[in-house]
Amino acid sequence: MYTAKGKLQRDDQLRQYTPLVRRLAHHMIAKLPPSVELDDLIQVGMMGLTEAIARFEPAQGVQFETFASQRIRGAMIDELRGGDWMSRGSRKSQKEIEQALHRLQQKLQRTPLESEIAQELGLSLTDYQSLLAKVRGTQLVYLEDLSGHGEDDDGFLERHQGNSEAEPSAVLQDQRMRSALVAAIGLLPEREQQIMSMYYEHDMNLKEIAAVLGVTESRICQLHSQSIARLRARLREH
């Protein structure tokens, strides 16, 4: 039970850290499909913040913002996982692209061209680009990878994850994974490297990237999806 003073302190903390919730929600939704509502993520994030306030123990030796960020992100990911935000068909298409890329990388010993990927899939270039648009919103790290409960039992993150309940931030901080990711990004075609840098390092959205590179937003969407598939195919080799 909260005393009146305790409730006031909690309300003050909620107000103080609401911008943190909004910042985390904006960062996460930039990498999700349009069907995910920002307000829904913020609402779930506020529930995570409330739980963090209730459970935080200063004696644990971590800063409250670090502790709260983990709880907020965890609440958002649980909500997204429960909502099955990426359709089964899109997941299947993404995996087919990754598998084709993996086969080509093994065979060619270089980064395959877009036309070669299309041919490997038995598609015209136009149909392949349409497929890339279809899987828009896929992420470098799938929620299934983070939870260890995906359709495949050999998710590439499992070998870099000591605890299946680890927070996403902890997984991505694993030095082996980070090193493998940096190396994989370095093997992307130059334009795709630019897109990944602007999207993930500078938090630019697809429309902003399209304006900088002088192409359509739909083309940036295709190249982003292709880049993700290339990276996941590379990371599966580690």
Side-chain angles (χ1 to χ4, degrees):
M1 293 286 290
Y2 277 101
T3 62
K5 182 179 180 181
K7 184 177 185 302
L8 184 61
Q9 289 175 334
R10 184 197 63 179
D11 291 346
D12 285 344
Q13 284 182 296
L14 283 171
R15 281 192 293 271
Q16 181 180 353
Y17 289 100
T18 292
L20 172 64
V21 174
R22 297 188 65 85
R23 185 164 70 248
L24 291 172
H26 277 280
H27 190 267
M28 186 173 289
I29 205 163
K31 301 166 181 63
L32 295 172
S35 58
V36 180
E37 294 287 342
L38 177 63
D39 287 345
D40 291 343
L41 274 188
I42 292 173
Q43 184 176 0
V44 172
M46 290 301 294
M47 293 170 63
L49 174 59
T50 301
E51 182 185 1
I53 292 170
R55 293 178 177 271
F56 180 65
E57 295 288 345
Q60 292 175 340
V62 296
Q63 292 184 338
F64 176 75
E65 184 165 335
T66 301
F67 178 80
S69 294
Q70 291 177 342
R71 290 282 178 175
I72 293 163
R73 277 194 294 260
M76 292 176 181
I77 287 173
D78 285 344
E79 176 71 11
L80 291 167
R81 187 187 297 124
D84 193 22
W85 59 272
M86 186 180 178
S87 73
R88 185 175 297 273
S90 292
R91 282 198 297 268
K92 182 175 182 293
S93 296
Q94 180 75 2
K95 288 178 181 177
E96 287 173 352
I97 295 170
E98 290 168 24
Q99 289 164 359
L101 276 161
H102 180 72
R103 291 192 300 269
L104 286 170
Q105 285 164 184
Q106 295 295 310
K107 181 167 63 177
L108 301 174
Q109 294 298 302
R110 61 170 172 78
T111 300
L113 302 174
E114 198 169 9
S115 57
E116 292 170 332
I117 303 167
Q119 185 175 5
E120 180 70 18
L121 289 165
L123 300 173
S124 68
L125 183 58
T126 300
D127 286 343
Y128 171 57
Q129 290 173 343
S130 295
L131 185 63
L132 287 173
K134 174 186 171 186
V135 299
R136 174 177 181 166
T138 55
Q139 301 190 118
L140 175 61
V141 180
Y142 291 162
L143 301 179
E144 290 89 342
D145 290 327
L146 297 174
S147 65
H149 299 298
E151 293 173 4
D152 294 340
D153 292 329
D154 60 347
F156 71 86
L157 280 182
E158 290 180 4
R159 292 186 294 277
H160 303 275
Q161 184 173 344
N163 176 359
S164 64
E165 298 300 322
E167 290 291 337
S169 57
V171 176
L172 292 178
Q173 285 166 5
D174 183 283
Q175 192 56 47
R176 290 172 300 166
M177 172 57 87
R178 290 177 65 87
S179 298
L181 178 57
V182 169
I185 290 174
L187 293 172
L188 290 174
E190 183 177 356
R191 173 155 287 197
E192 291 180 31
Q193 286 190 46
Q194 288 179 299
I195 291 169
M196 296 299 284
S197 174
M198 286 186 277
Y199 193 74
Y200 289 100
E201 293 178 30
H202 301 289
D203 284 331
M204 295 172 65
N205 60 38
L206 299 183
K207 184 175 183 179
E208 291 168 337
I209 297 171
V212 170
L213 296 182
V215 297
T216 64
E217 184 177 350
S218 62
R219 181 57 179 156
I220 295 298
C221 172
Q222 293 168 2
L223 291 173
H224 174 255
S225 294
Q226 183 169 267
S227 300
I228 295 297
R230 288 189 198 274
L231 291 175
R232 287 180 58 85
R234 289 279 182 191
L235 290 170
R236 285 185 183 279
E237 299 173 5
H238 291 270

